[in-house]
Amino acid sequence: MKFSAVLISWLLVVGFNAHGGISQGDLVGASVSIDSLRLLREQGDYAALRPLCLQYLNSLVAAENKAEVLYFMALTYQIGDASEGVLKTDSIIQLLNGMPEASVQKWASRSRALQASYHRRAGQMDESIKLCEEVIEDNKDSIANFMAIRNISITYRQLDKYDSALSYAFEAESLANLLGDKFRIHQATQNLVNLFSILGEYDKVIEGEIRLLKIATSLGNLSLVVTDQINLGSSYGTQNKPDSAIFYFNKAIAGARELGDIGSLSMALHNLGGLYKELHRYNEAIAVLNETLKYSKEAGQVPVTIRSLNFLAEAYLGVKSYGNAEKYTKEALMMAKERSMTFDMVLNYDLLSKIFEARGELKRAIEQLKIKHQLEDSLVNSAKFRAIEEIETKYENDRKNEEIRNLKQQTEIQMLQIQQQRLFLGLSIVLALFVAAVIYFVYRQRALKAQTNELITRQKLLRAQINPHFFFNALTTIQSHLHRERDIEASSEYLVGFSKLMRNTLEFSIEELISLEEEIEMVSAYMQLQEVRNNHKFETSITVGEEIDASELMLPPMLTQPFLENAVEHAFKNRQSKGLVAINYTVDGSRLMITIEDNGEGIAGDSEQNKNHKSRATGITEERTRLLMKTLKQEVSFSVDNKMNDEGKISGVRVKFRLPLLLSDDA
């Protein structure tokens, strides 16, 4: 049997008729060029692409082209039900795996990465991540790897794991730039813009969306243009610019209708309907959201359907149509319960409470509020566990990356040694004395460089000893607050604050010098969290001399942190009145002076355990200052003493640092 006949048989039996939609009559034998298919694929015109792919597959062409067109066929299921895309892409993958040519395997890898995105759109997050990890591990195609890495980032974003999402997003951007693929660069940048939107950096978001829209327009890819218009409209809506938002939503709706892309159409309509609802244009919202539900259900977009039902119920509540409001709220609630979507359950129980209250059914309203509060508690606990999981994941990723860097350095050193040995063997006897002199010089320089690298490495290791304490104490602060705080928005702010603090700490821990401005920002954030954890038992004062430009002055990062931790943990244990930790930055001639003072028990009043803790902090700092003097070649010192009051009694601890005055231009 000819290859073409076998292929079409597979398509009919395994891939398409099995799930409905394509029959033998679709396979007409008109001639279609691979270039025309590639053009449609670049433009994102999947509605036109699918039937032409079938025509192409019915002809006798090279196996390589058939594999590419099978992948194009899988791409066309971005329009429609995501679950259908999973099934039909699986059939295509079976076909590709059955083809013996090695050159077709890249299309199989890309199809698997594409199938992972369909799993994600269908709400099957674990399956999506697992399949992407398999694609990356196989490492058969760079574009497939990019697709998988980007999809993992999007999946983590939809699971509210923003640190992991950002890590994979930057990795995808780096790979896209390495590939030099404008379309992939657009995809990677779009993902980063979406994350910036979640983090509230809206000015950057709008700038990025305008840039992305220009790229999509230049590519002639209407599907990308529609997506960018939806996102840009959403960003303008968030920035309270409704006219611009409505303009871009309507542009996206027109483009999606032209494409026949019901998924994008439902998203654009959903956003427009939600905006009308927020503007209290309830009748317009009701009309748009009813149309949204028609397309979101047809496209199998469960989250969009649930949120649109909630928006529609709110709009009906706005026009006092309580029966319809209750009907659509309960429908949304039922769908959310079936899929364990806790946040959407909270939204709809809250809306039911408002509906019953508007009707005067206060008992039923209170019942809904009780259920809402129970679910909010579970959301807070979930957020706490996600934060812990994010820290563990970040720590493990950093550890693995450090191991990879170390192995790479060892390999480079070994290769350099081998090259030098070959060079030495090739030198003539006549130049023996000259070679000996060169060897001595090279080894002397290497020894000096090795000593410098050793100092830098030991400083990083010392800072790495601080990081676990720093993270643990900060996380303890967040956990303590979450146990006490029932306001989800406030708790989320603390989690976001801690996430930013964690990222800054990890970033600064690998820097030799940072600006005083960055140091103060990190210290201030850390002490604010500690004040909350300790029920505001103490307060923090940070002062900077008028002669100091904090953005220009440089210093080693986290030098004061061990002593700040001592003050927080031990200074005020037995103090009844409010404590104070004062941090002062001044300039004395050519020296930067940092003073930390507390009004606690002092060194003599500490327990043996606390003295040991202070000794460890002092030991780490002494080692750091010793190494800093070698690398900076200037004096670095510190002292720890008790403060004495007028009566000669201990009134706290004073720590002084004396650092060289380093400016950013000198660093």
Side-chain angles (χ1 to χ4, degrees):
M1 184 180 292
K2 292 183 179 179
F3 178 80
S4 178
V6 173
L7 183 63
I8 296 305
S9 175
W10 265 97
L11 285 170
L12 291 172
V13 176
V14 179
F16 301 99
N17 271 350
H19 307 294
I22 298 175
S23 66
Q24 184 68 43
D26 294 316
L27 304 175
V28 293
S31 176
V32 180
S33 71
I34 186 67
D35 290 335
S36 65
L37 296 180
R38 287 170 179 161
L39 179 60
L40 287 172
R41 179 259 181 277
E42 290 173 0
Q43 294 174 344
D45 191 352
Y46 298 124
L49 180 61
R50 186 180 299 174
L52 293 179
C53 284
L54 287 168
Q55 291 182 33
Y56 187 88
L57 292 169
N58 199 31
S59 62
L60 287 172
V61 291
E64 163 69 13
N65 289 342
K66 282 187 178 292
E68 183 178 1
V69 176
L70 281 170
Y71 169 68
F72 289 171
M73 196 74 191
L75 282 171
T76 66
Y77 291 98
Q78 294 183 73
I79 298 177
D81 189 348
S83 298
E84 181 185 22
V86 170
L87 293 171
K88 294 193 173 179
T89 305
D90 188 63
S91 300
I92 289 172
I93 292 169
Q94 290 181 46
L95 282 169
L96 291 167
N97 288 336
M99 298 169 68
E101 295 81 1
S103 60
V104 308
Q105 291 312 302
K106 69 178 181 182
W107 302 112
S109 293
R110 295 181 193 182
S111 297
R112 290 169 67 201
L114 183 63
Q115 187 184 39
S117 72
Y118 293 153
H119 276 297
R120 170 179 53 78
R121 288 172 54 195
Q124 300 159 357
M125 303 305 195
D126 291 339
E127 292 89 338
S128 179
I129 292 175
K130 180 181 178 182
L131 187 54
C132 286
E133 289 174 343
E134 291 174 357
V135 170
I136 296 168
E137 184 177 357
D138 289 346
N139 195 26
K140 292 181 178 178
D141 179 63
S142 296
I143 290 179
N145 290 347
F146 166 82
M147 294 168 65
I149 293 167
R150 174 175 170 270
N151 185 65
I152 291 176
S153 174
I154 296 172
T155 305
Y156 277 132
R157 169 165 56 85
Q158 293 178 349
L159 291 171
D160 299 333
K161 297 183 178 181
Y162 300 126
D163 277 351
S164 293
L166 274 171
S167 176
Y168 279 100
F170 284 125
E171 187 176 350
E173 182 189 41
S174 176
L175 182 54
N177 288 326
L178 185 63
L179 292 170
D181 186 326
K182 199 172 183 180
F183 176 74
R184 306 297 173 186
I185 292 172
H186 182 283
Q187 288 184 313
T189 306
Q190 179 65 75
N191 186 35
L192 280 169
V193 167
N194 290 341
L195 283 164
F196 288 143
S197 177
I198 292 171
L199 296 175
E201 299 183 26
Y202 299 117
D203 290 338
K204 291 183 179 179
V205 169
I206 290 177
E207 289 178 7
E209 290 295 351
I210 292 173
R211 185 170 64 253
L212 288 169
L213 185 56
K214 290 180 179 178
I215 295 173
T217 303
S218 69
L219 288 171
N221 190 324
L222 183 56
S223 179
L224 275 183
V225 169
V226 169
T227 300
D228 290 339
Q229 288 168 338
I230 293 173
N231 291 332
L232 186 53
S234 299
S235 298
Y236 276 124
T238 304
Q239 288 286 73
N240 197 26
K241 297 179 179 179
D243 292 340
S244 296
I246 292 170
F247 171 80
Y248 281 105
F249 286 147
N250 282 322
K251 294 276 286 186
I253 289 168
R257 291 189 196 279
E258 182 180 343
L259 278 175
D261 183 352
I262 60 173
S264 295
L265 180 57
S266 68
M267 282 296 299
L269 289 167
H270 167 78
N271 282 280
L272 180 60
L275 181 58
Y276 281 147
K277 186 260 298 181
E278 291 298 322
L279 296 172
H280 297 174
R281 294 163 62 171
Y282 295 122
N283 290 326
E284 291 171 280
I286 289 169
V288 171
L289 290 167
N290 273 310
E291 187 178 6
T292 303
L293 290 172
K294 170 187 173 183
Y295 293 113
S296 67
K297 290 179 179 179
E298 184 179 347
Q301 295 175 315
V302 174
V304 176
T305 300
I306 293 174
R307 295 292 172 88
S308 295
L309 287 167
N310 180 270
F311 286 173
L312 185 58
E314 284 192 63
Y316 275 120
L317 177 61
V319 297
K320 299 182 180 181
S321 178
Y322 302 129
N324 282 323
E326 181 180 357
K327 169 188 171 183
Y328 288 112
T329 304
K330 287 183 174 179
E331 184 179 348
L333 184 58
M334 180 184 68
M335 293 180 68
K337 284 181 177 179
E338 289 173 351
R339 293 158 180 84
S340 300
M341 298 171 70
T342 309
F343 183 76
D344 289 279
M345 292 165 63
V346 168
L347 292 178
N348 285 287
Y349 275 118
D350 182 65
L351 184 54
L352 274 178
S353 174
K354 293 177 182 176
I355 294 168
F356 291 141
E357 182 181 1
R359 283 177 167 174
E361 301 177 36
L362 298 183
K363 182 177 179 181
R364 296 181 70 185
I366 292 171
E367 289 174 353
Q368 306 308 309
L369 280 178
K370 287 180 179 179
I371 299 173
K372 172 199 169 187
H373 290 317
Q374 291 172 355
L375 291 170
E376 285 176 338
D377 288 341
S378 70
L379 273 177
V380 170
N381 290 331
S382 297
K384 176 183 68 176
F385 290 128
R386 282 199 302 270
I388 295 172
E389 185 181 21
E390 280 289 284
I391 293 170
E392 292 174 345
T393 301
K394 182 69 174 176
Y395 176 79
E396 185 64 21
N397 287 341
D398 288 345
R399 185 184 65 81
K400 289 180 179 179
N401 289 336
E402 186 64 28
E403 289 177 356
I404 292 170
R405 284 193 293 269
N406 290 337
L407 288 173
K408 183 178 179 181
Q409 290 175 356
Q410 292 174 10
T411 301
E412 290 174 351
I413 291 172
Q414 291 172 357
M415 291 300 296
L416 180 60
Q417 290 173 341
I418 291 171
Q419 291 173 5
Q420 289 174 339
Q421 291 170 1
R422 290 175 178 173
L423 177 62
F424 295 155
L425 291 174
L427 293 176
S428 67
I429 298 175
V430 178
L431 299 175
L433 291 176
F434 175 77
V435 170
V438 171
I439 291 173
Y440 173 79
F441 176 80
V442 170
Y443 274 96
R444 177 63 178 167
Q445 291 299 314
R446 184 182 299 167
L448 292 174
K449 184 177 181 180
Q451 290 176 3
T452 302
N453 288 339
E454 179 187 1
L455 294 177
I456 293 171
T457 302
R458 290 174 67 183
Q459 288 186 51
K460 289 183 178 179
L461 289 173
L462 286 169
R463 290 199 297 271
Q465 294 178 42
I466 296 173
N467 281 344
H469 297 289
F470 194 82
F471 290 163
F472 178 81
N473 288 332
L475 180 58
T476 301
T477 302
I478 295 298
Q479 289 175 314
S480 174
H481 183 77
L482 287 173
H483 281 306
R484 299 196 310 269
E485 183 61 60
R486 299 181 61 88
D487 187 339
I488 289 181
E489 291 186 1
S491 301
S492 298
E493 290 178 4
Y494 281 109
L495 285 171
V496 171
F498 170 68
S499 176
K500 291 181 178 178
L501 179 61
M502 181 188 72
R503 287 196 299 272
N504 287 340
T505 305
L506 290 172
E507 178 183 354
F508 295 156
S509 69
I510 62 173
E511 297 292 335
E512 292 304 310
L513 297 172
I514 63 173
S515 71
L516 178 58
E517 185 177 50
E518 292 169 332
E519 174 79 4
I520 292 172
E521 178 183 358
M522 185 166 59
V523 168
S524 176
Y526 173 70
M527 295 302 288
Q528 286 175 10
L529 290 174
Q530 290 288 23
E531 287 179 25
V532 173
R533 181 171 70 90
N534 288 276
N535 295 321
H536 299 281
K537 191 174 182 179
F538 67 90
E539 62 184 16
T540 305
S541 167
I542 300 177
T543 59
V544 181
E546 294 180 355
E547 71 279 9
I548 293 177
D549 184 348
S551 64
E552 290 294 321
L553 202 57
M554 308 296 288
L555 75 165
M558 301 167 62
L559 200 58
T560 61
Q561 193 275 337
F563 295 102
L564 292 174
E565 179 183 341
N566 279 346
V568 170
E569 297 298 329
H570 309 297
F572 312 115
K573 282 188 174 180
N574 300 317
R575 186 178 180 86
Q576 299 301 318
S577 59
K578 194 164 190 175
L580 172 66
V581 178
I583 308 165
N584 299 303
Y585 299 88
T586 59
V587 171
D588 183 8
S590 62
R591 316 294 294 173
L592 171 64
M593 309 295 292
I594 306 176
T595 305
I596 304 170
E597 294 183 342
D598 65 60
N599 59 350
E601 298 177 357
I603 298 174
D606 276 351
S607 66
E608 191 64 31
Q609 179 183 357
N610 293 349
K611 289 179 182 178
N612 292 337
H613 188 90
K614 289 185 177 181
S615 297
R616 185 167 64 250
T618 302
I620 290 174
T621 306
E622 285 176 346
E623 179 68 5
R624 283 196 68 189
T625 55
R626 185 179 68 82
L627 296 174
L628 282 168
M629 282 193 289
K630 288 186 177 182
T631 55
L632 297 176
K633 301 188 184 307
Q634 297 189 56
E635 182 184 356
V636 179
S637 63
F638 76 103
S639 62
V640 183
D641 301 292
N642 281 323
K643 290 195 309 179
M644 309 300 290
N645 61 20
D646 295 337
E647 299 175 357
K649 295 182 180 180
I650 296 174
S651 61
V653 174
R654 178 184 294 112
V655 181
K656 287 187 176 180
F657 284 87
R658 301 164 189 83
L659 306 175
L661 207 58
L662 301 174
L663 300 178
S664 59
D665 292 339
D666 304 326

